[in-house]
């Protein structure tokens, strides 16, 4: 292994090779969803000639690529610094170099994926002349978002962030907690907050707003930001809730509680969060006009981001050896 | 004495690797059974198989007369498995984690006996702190409390003394012995601490290559304690094979 690269990358590569397609889907699946969302927004211009679809697609690409790259880089840095390989002698610059290489590889895959999707989507479109603008806008946004994420994450460096961003709620509704699994809701909420904070911060909202072109009106921009933020929040909630739920079911596996009941209980928080996310979606839809299209898009996006909930109900039939 | 746990022909495999192969084990009420064996013998897997958290390939587990496969709720009501420190939810506080387990056991609140044991183990001052800030010893104590919550009649403990300071280890040992003596609780303790096994257990079972290789009953253990030239360490080495005894 070259001293230029972090030793953990070798183990990560072996793990990816052993788990094959599952690992590939998990790695690619997260950015694939927002990238497909970008293309869906761009299709508004390709097919409807709305005039704001490309701007929205670029904004989503900017915010999404930043959030995903930032979270992944922080996770990787933390794992390399405090995980099994934390005590290994690593050459100066190898951590930054390797993490940048991995991020660049992910960016290239994302660029290829979104370019292929945009080319395919625009082939039979009446406004296919917008394709160069779409390619330039979305691809540039991906590069800028990922670059900002890399600079910020490497600057922040590795530290344990389990408590970052966790605040006690302003008010609690005791009846939301199921007495069969009290505090599972808190667990899911805190997991969500930690991941949301890792995905970036409200600095990105400013960056997104600064990148808005002159064309669309202010209400339209607010509507776009609300819709994108609501979707991003919901996607984080679903993934965090599913992971916390699976961990809880595993944790209380030796107790008399039926795993099915535990899984049903763990749906409470994501359902409440989804109901709350509907508020900015409705406001955004009202502000942006074209209610039917915006609402339809928002519902499709929310439904797509709900797929991690399937994992809650997928019982682990052949668990691995105890840790 | 009433049989509390019975495993018959227990087999567990992870992929192609057979970890347990036809384990037959019986534990009566009030028994303190120590499970010893080399690394990879299958001790932890046996505890998880009994607790229903490892998949059985063959055999059956009966706890307090309930088949674990057919009546898991009733069977699991009778067991308490101490949680491994790395498996604890770092985003919850110790008290929240105890409440989670109390709820899963059908209890309305954390039982006073559990809080009292927490006090004995000096865990009370940190119960309202997030588990992420706990040391290994604190996590071990919390894992023990989670296993003992609701006072189940069969305790399954996997190296519970790892990371405990001497005072807490002594307090927990005393608690276990008192619980067995007064409450009729049974304990299955997987450990490498042969002195604990030799001094406190009523039976010691040696597990090797996923099978029960040898067991020592109360009489044999008593004889070991009385004869300075005999020890469980020597007996285990002999049972494991002559070369390790040299």
């Amino acid at each position: 292994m070259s001293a230029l690269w972090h030793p953990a990358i070798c183990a990560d590569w072996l793990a990816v090779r052993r788990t094959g397609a599952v690992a590939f889907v998990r790695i690619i699946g997260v950015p694939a969803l927002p990238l497909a969302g970008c293309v869906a927004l761009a299709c508004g211009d390709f097919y409807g000639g709305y005039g704001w679809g490309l701007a929205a697609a670029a904004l989503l690409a900017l915010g999404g690529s930043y959030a995903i790259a930032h979270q992944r880089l922080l996770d990787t840095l933390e794992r390399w610094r405090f995980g099994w390989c934390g005590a290994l002698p690593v050459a100066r610059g190898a951590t930054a170099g390797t993490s940048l290489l991995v991020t660049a590889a992910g960016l290239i895959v994302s660029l290829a994926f979104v370019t292929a999707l945009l080319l395919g989507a625009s082939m039979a479109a009446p406004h296919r002349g917008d394709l160069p603008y779409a390619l330039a806008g979305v691809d540039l946004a991906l590069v800028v978002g990922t670059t900002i994420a890399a600079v910020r994450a490497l600057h922040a460096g590795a530290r344990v962030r389990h408590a970052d961003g966790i605040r006690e709620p302003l008010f609690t509704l005791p009846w939301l907690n199921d007495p069969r699994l009290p505090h599972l809701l808190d667990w899911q909420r805190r997991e969500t907050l930690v991941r949301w904070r890792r995905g970036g911060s409200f600095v990105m909202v400013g960056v997104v707003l600064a990148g808005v072109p002159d064309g669309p009106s202010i209400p339209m921009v607010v509507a776009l930001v609300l819709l994108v933020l609501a979707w991003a929040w919901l996607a984080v909630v679903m993934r965090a809730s599913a992971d916390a739920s699976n961990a809880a079911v595993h944790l209380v596996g030796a107790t008399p509680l039926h795993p099915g009941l535990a899984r049903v209980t763990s749906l409470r928080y994501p359902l409440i969060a989804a109901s709350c996310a509907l508020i900015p979606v409705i406001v955004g839809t009202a502000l942006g006009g074209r209610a039917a299209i915006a609402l339809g898009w928002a519902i499709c996006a929310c439904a797509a981001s709900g797929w991690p909930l399937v994992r809650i109900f997928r019982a682990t039939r052949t668990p691995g050896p105890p840790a | 004495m009433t049989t509390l746990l019975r495993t018959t022909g227990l087999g567990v495999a992870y992929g192609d690797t057979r970890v347990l192969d036809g384990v037959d084990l019986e534990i009566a009420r009030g028994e303190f059974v120590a499970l010893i064996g080399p690394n990879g013998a299958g001790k932890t897997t046996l505890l998880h198989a009994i607790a229903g958290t490892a998949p059985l390939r063959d055999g059956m587990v009966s706890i307090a007369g309930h088949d674990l496969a057919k009546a898991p709720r009733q069977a699991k009501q009778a067991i308490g498995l101490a949680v491994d420190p790395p498996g604890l939810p770092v985003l919850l506080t110790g008290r929240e984690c105890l409440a989670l387990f109390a709820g899963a056991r059908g209890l309305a609140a954390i039982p006073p006996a559990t809080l009292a044991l927490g006090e004995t183990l000096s865990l009370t001052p940190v119960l309202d702190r997030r588990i992420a800030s706990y040391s290994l010893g604190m996590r071990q104590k919390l894992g023990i409390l989670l296993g003992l919550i609701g006072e189940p009649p069969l305790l399954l403990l996997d190296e519970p003394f790892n990371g405990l300071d001497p005072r807490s280890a002594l307090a927990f040992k005393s608690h276990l012995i008192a619980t067995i003596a007064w409450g009729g609780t049974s304990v299955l303790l997987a450990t490498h601490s042969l002195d604990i096994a030799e001094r406190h257990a009523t039976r010691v079972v040696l597990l090797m290559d996923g099978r029960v290789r040898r067991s020592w009953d109360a009489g044999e253990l008593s004889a070991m304690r009385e004869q300075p030239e005999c020890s469980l360490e020597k007996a285990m080495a002999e049972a494991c094979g002559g070369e390790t005894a040299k």
Side-chain angles (χ1 to χ4, degrees), chain A residues 2 46 52 96-97 107 127 130 139 148 171 187 224 227 250 292 304 318:
Chain A
S2 165
F46 290 157
W52 52 265
L107 177 63
H127 299 275
D130 287 343
D139 286 355
I148 298 173
F171 58 92
W187 186 351
L224 283 174
L227 287 174
H250 181 72
T318 51

Side-chain angles (χ1 to χ4, degrees), chain A residues 7-62:
Chain A
I9 196 72
C10 197
D12 287 350
W13 175 242
L14 278 175
V16 168
R17 279 180 61 190
R18 287 206 180 114
T19 44
V22 176
F24 185 76
V25 168
R26 280 187 73 88
I27 292 168
I28 298 298
V30 177
L33 202 58
L35 290 177
C38 292
V39 177
L41 283 169
C43 281
D45 277 14
F46 290 157
Y47 289 89
Y50 299 144
W52 52 265
L54 294 185
L59 291 182
L60 180 59
L62 184 70

Side-chain angles (χ1 to χ4, degrees), chain A residues 291-312:
Chain A
I293 296 166
L295 200 59
W297 188 87
I299 289 170
C300 288
C302 291
S305 53
W307 71 267
L309 291 185
V310 173
R311 281 191 285 135
I312 291 180

Side-chain angles (χ1 to χ4, degrees), chain A residues 162 168 180 182 190 253 255 322, chain B residues 14 76 91 96 99-100 103-104 130:
Chain A
H162 284 313
E168 289 311 313
R180 289 168 298 192
R190 287 171 195 168
T255 66
Chain B
Y14 297 119
K76 287 181 179 184
L91 292 176
E96 287 170 343
L100 185 88
R130 293 239 164 82

Side-chain angles (χ1 to χ4, degrees), chain B residues 147-173:
Chain B
L148 270 62
I149 206 163
E151 298 175 351
L154 175 61
L155 299 179
L156 306 171
L157 306 171
D158 189 6
E159 292 288 2
F161 300 102
N162 268 2
L164 292 194
D165 57 83
R167 200 173 142 212
S168 302
L170 181 66
F172 180 52
K173 259 186 273 182

Side-chain angles (χ1 to χ4, degrees), chain A residues 45 74 107 138 149 153 169-170 218 231 236-237 241 254 264 290 296:
Chain A
D45 277 14
L74 285 186
L107 177 63
V138 174
L170 291 175
I218 294 295
W231 181 31
V236 174
V237 166
S241 299
V264 170
R290 299 180 191 273

Side-chain angles (χ1 to χ4, degrees), chain B:
Chain B
M1 281 203 285
T2 327
T3 302
L4 188 58
L5 168 75
R6 177 178 289 127
T7 71
T8 314
L10 206 61
V12 174
Y14 297 119
D16 296 333
T17 312
R18 213 170 170 85
V19 184
L20 294 181
D21 191 9
V23 174
D24 297 321
L25 183 68
E26 273 192 27
I27 296 180
R29 274 190 196 277
E31 253 198 307
F32 185 166
V33 179
L35 191 63
I36 61 171
N39 296 127
K43 301 186 293 294
T44 302
T45 298
L46 178 57
L47 295 188
H48 282 272
I50 293 167
T53 53
L56 298 191
R57 179 175 275 191
D58 315 297
M60 60 96 72
V61 177
S62 167
I63 303 162
H66 301 289
D67 186 335
L68 183 66
K70 290 177 184 158
R73 192 167 186 276
Q74 290 83 346
K76 287 181 179 184
Q77 201 69 257
I79 55 164
L81 173 70
V83 177
D84 292 335
L88 292 168
V90 291
L91 292 176
L92 295 184
T93 66
R95 200 179 296 280
E96 287 170 343
C97 195
L98 286 170
L100 185 88
F101 265 70
R105 283 207 157 271
L107 305 169
I110 306 167
T114 305
L115 293 173
L117 180 59
E119 182 70 38
T120 308
L121 296 177
S122 313
L123 199 63
T124 309
V126 296
L127 271 184
D128 291 310
R129 270 171 38 188
R130 293 239 164 82
I131 295 169
S133 69
Y134 281 20
S135 67
L136 172 66
M138 291 172 189
R139 290 180 193 217
Q140 187 69 269
K141 290 173 189 176
L142 181 62
I144 289 170
L145 289 188
L146 294 174
L148 270 62
I149 206 163
E151 298 175 351
L154 175 61
L155 299 179
L156 306 171
L157 306 171
D158 189 6
E159 292 288 2
F161 300 102
N162 268 2
L164 292 194
D165 57 83
R167 200 173 142 212
S168 302
L170 181 66
F172 180 52
K173 259 186 273 182
S174 308
H175 176 84
L176 268 187
I177 291 160
T179 312
I180 294 164
W182 301 105
T185 304
S186 306
V187 173
L188 178 58
L189 169 81
T191 185
H192 289 296
S193 304
L194 298 184
D195 56 328
I196 293 175
E198 188 179 329
R199 191 178 292 184
H200 300 292
T202 51
R203 186 153 54 100
V204 175
V205 174
L206 171 66
L207 198 66
M208 271 188 76
D209 302 324
R211 288 170 171 272
V212 174
R213 174 69 68 94
R214 170 102 162 75
S215 76
W216 294 267
D217 61 21
E220 288 171 293
L221 291 170
S222 177
M224 278 180 204
R225 281 174 214 136
E226 285 164 10
Q227 297 168 12
E229 69 277 12
C230 296
S231 71
L232 185 59
E233 194 174 22
K234 280 184 188 170
M236 181 188 164
E238 281 166 17
C240 286
E243 71 280 3
T244 49
K246 287 170 190 168

